[in-house]
Amino acid sequence: MKLTTTLLLSCIISINLTAQSYLTQARSNDQKEWGYINEKGENVIEAKYRKCYKFSEGLAPIYEGKKFFFINKSGEKLNTELSSYKLKSAFGFGLLGFENGMVPVIVGKKWGYMNTEGKTVISPQYLKASKFNDGFATVKKGDQFIIIDKLGKETVVPNIIDLRHFSEGLAPFKTADKKFGFVSTDGKIAIKEQFISVGYFIDGLAWAKTLDKKIGYINKNGEWAIQPKYLGAKNFDPTSGLAMVKETDKWGYTDKAGNFTIVEADRNNNFSEGLARGKKGEKWGYYDAKGTWVIAAQFDGVRDFKNGFAAAKKGEKWGFINQKGKWVIQPTYDAVKDLELVK
C-alpha cells in the first residue's frame, strides 16, 4: 500500500510539472503584431495582436479593436458576463491581470472585480480599486477608503486621503497632513503615520522616508531595521538579501544588517532572483551578491531574471538565457517580454 501511494504521488507531481509551461510575448520579422512563444522558442499563440500582455494565473489580457478581453494559453477567448469593460494600467508594465483569482474591471466610471471564470463577483461600484493580495484589496467609494475581501465584505478606514494595495498583509495609507503609515487587513493602524513616503513590504522590510528626507528600512512593527541614512532606496531581493540604495552620490547595496557595498560597474541595477544586471563599457552581464560577475558582460541589452530566465539581446535580436548565461532561446526576435509561468 505504501509503495502504491508513493507511486501515485510521484505520478501526480509529474503531471503537475508537465502541465507547467512558460509563455512570453514575442515579435519578429519586422512585424507590428505580437504573439506568444514558450520556453523552447516554439510559437504557441499566433502573432496577431498589436497590444497583448503577460500571462498571470493562466490568462493574458488583450487590447484589440478598442476592446479588452482575456485569452488562455491555447489562445481561446475567456467568456465573460460583462460584454464590455476596461482594465487597469500597471503603471508602465502594461495592464493589470489576475491576482488571487481576481482582476479589477471598470464599467462606465465604476470599478468592480471579475474572477478567472469570467464572472462579475463584485459589482462595479467603486471610484478606485487596487489589485488583490493575500485575499484583500483596497477601494474608494465616495470619500471613503475601504478594505474588501474576495466576498466583497467592506471595512472602512477612516480619516485618510489615500490607501494603496496590500503587500505581506500591510497597505500604505496617507493622511491629510501628507504623512504615511500602514494598516493591516482588519483596517487597524499597524504602523502610525510618521513618514513622508514609504514603499511596500518585501521579505519583511519596507523602505521609509523620514521628515528630514532620509531613507531607511522598517520592519512590520514600524521599528528601524536599517537606520534612515540613504538618499534613495529600492526594495529588497529575497534571494540575494540585498537592496539597492544611494549613499551620498553613489548607488550601492545594503544587506539587512545595514552593511553597504559597491559593485564596480558602469551601471548598476536592482537584484532579481539573486543576480543584478550591470554594464561594463557597452556590454551587459550579471553579478551575484558578492559582486562576482557570474555572467560576463557580453550582451547588447538585458532585462532582470524572472522565473529563472532573462531576456538578452545580441546585435539587434532578442532571446533568453538561463542563470548560467546559456541561450535557451536563440536571439532571433525583434522584441520579447518576460517568460511567465503558466499552469
Side-chain angles (χ1 to χ4, degrees):
M1 177 66 72
K2 186 175 180 180
L3 179 60
T4 303
T5 303
T6 301
L7 288 172
L8 180 59
L9 286 173
S10 297
C11 288
I12 292 172
I13 292 171
S14 177
I15 290 170
N16 285 337
L17 289 174
T18 302
Q20 293 182 349
S21 62
Y22 299 87
L23 295 180
T24 184
Q25 308 99 291
R27 181 169 55 80
S28 60
N29 301 323
D30 296 321
Q31 291 178 317
K32 294 181 179 180
E33 290 78 21
W34 294 76
Y36 291 84
I37 61 173
N38 63 17
E39 72 276 16
K40 297 177 183 178
E42 299 169 335
N43 293 317
V44 175
I45 299 174
E46 179 187 353
K48 59 181 179 179
Y49 301 113
R50 286 292 186 95
K51 294 182 179 181
C52 60
Y53 302 92
K54 70 176 185 177
F55 271 86
S56 62
E57 302 190 358
L59 294 163
I62 306 289
Y63 180 65
E64 194 80 7
K66 296 184 179 181
K67 285 194 173 183
F68 295 84
F69 57 93
F70 287 88
I71 59 171
N72 63 20
K73 63 182 181 180
S74 298
E76 300 165 334
K77 187 176 178 180
L78 175 70
N79 292 320
T80 60
E81 289 182 341
L82 293 171
S83 58
S84 180
Y85 57 86
K86 295 181 181 179
L87 297 171
K88 192 177 183 72
S89 170
F91 303 106
F93 296 95
L95 296 176
L96 196 66
F98 283 94
E99 190 164 337
N100 284 189
M102 307 277 274
V103 65
V105 293
I106 188 169
V107 179
K109 295 183 178 180
K110 296 295 178 69
W111 289 94
Y113 290 87
M114 183 169 67
N115 66 14
T116 53
E117 296 177 351
K119 295 181 179 178
T120 308
V121 288
I122 299 177
S123 62
Q125 57 189 291
Y126 300 111
L127 299 177
K128 292 184 178 180
S130 80
K131 66 179 181 180
F132 267 85
N133 185 278
D134 294 331
F136 294 90
T138 62
V139 296
K140 184 181 182 182
K141 182 188 289 184
D143 293 329
Q144 290 184 322
F145 285 89
I146 302 166
I147 297 168
I148 59 172
D149 63 16
K150 294 176 73 172
L151 297 177
K153 180 183 176 182
E154 298 183 347
T155 302
V156 176
V157 183
N159 305 319
I160 63 172
I161 63 168
D162 194 19
L163 183 60
R164 300 176 182 174
H165 69 78
F166 279 95
S167 177
E168 298 189 359
L170 294 173
F173 71 88
K174 185 179 181 181
T175 57
D177 59 357
K178 298 183 180 180
K179 291 181 182 178
F180 284 86
F182 291 84
V183 295
S184 53
T185 56
D186 58 6
K188 295 180 180 178
I189 294 177
I191 300 174
K192 185 180 177 181
E193 65 277 12
Q194 56 192 293
F195 311 106
I196 61 173
S197 187
V198 295
Y200 292 97
F201 276 93
I202 304 293
D203 205 27
L205 297 180
W207 63 261
K209 183 183 286 189
T210 61
L211 298 180
D212 60 356
K213 298 183 180 180
K214 294 295 178 65
I215 305 174
Y217 291 85
I218 57 173
N219 61 24
K220 291 185 177 181
N221 294 321
E223 304 163 336
W224 290 109
I226 300 176
Q227 290 297 316
K229 56 185 176 181
Y230 301 115
L231 301 178
K234 307 291 185 180
N235 292 328
F236 268 89
D237 168 46
T239 306
S240 67
L242 297 177
M244 196 172 180
V245 291
K246 186 178 183 181
E247 190 175 75
T248 63
D249 61 340
K250 289 187 176 181
W251 283 92
Y253 300 94
T254 182
D255 62 18
K256 290 188 174 183
N259 299 310
F260 180 78
T261 58
I262 292 176
V263 177
E264 293 300 330
D266 295 331
R267 193 181 299 176
N268 300 109
N269 285 279
N270 294 324
F271 274 87
S272 178
E273 298 188 356
L275 295 176
R277 53 193 169 100
K279 191 175 185 182
K280 281 188 173 184
E282 297 300 318
K283 299 294 183 180
W284 290 86
Y286 296 85
Y287 48 85
D288 62 17
K290 296 179 179 179
T292 302
W293 288 79
V294 294
I295 300 176
Q298 58 187 291
F299 305 106
D300 297 301
V302 292
R303 288 211 297 274
D304 289 342
F305 272 92
K306 189 168 187 182
N307 295 311
F309 304 99
K313 188 178 184 183
K314 204 74 170 177
E316 296 298 320
K317 299 293 183 178
W318 287 86
F320 284 88
I321 59 172
N322 60 23
Q323 291 200 335
K324 294 182 179 180
K326 303 296 184 183
W327 291 107
V328 293
I329 298 178
Q330 291 296 318
T332 57
Y333 297 94
D334 295 339
V336 295
K337 302 298 183 180
D338 294 326
L339 277 162
E340 306 288 346
L341 177 63
V342 184
K343 295 182 178 180

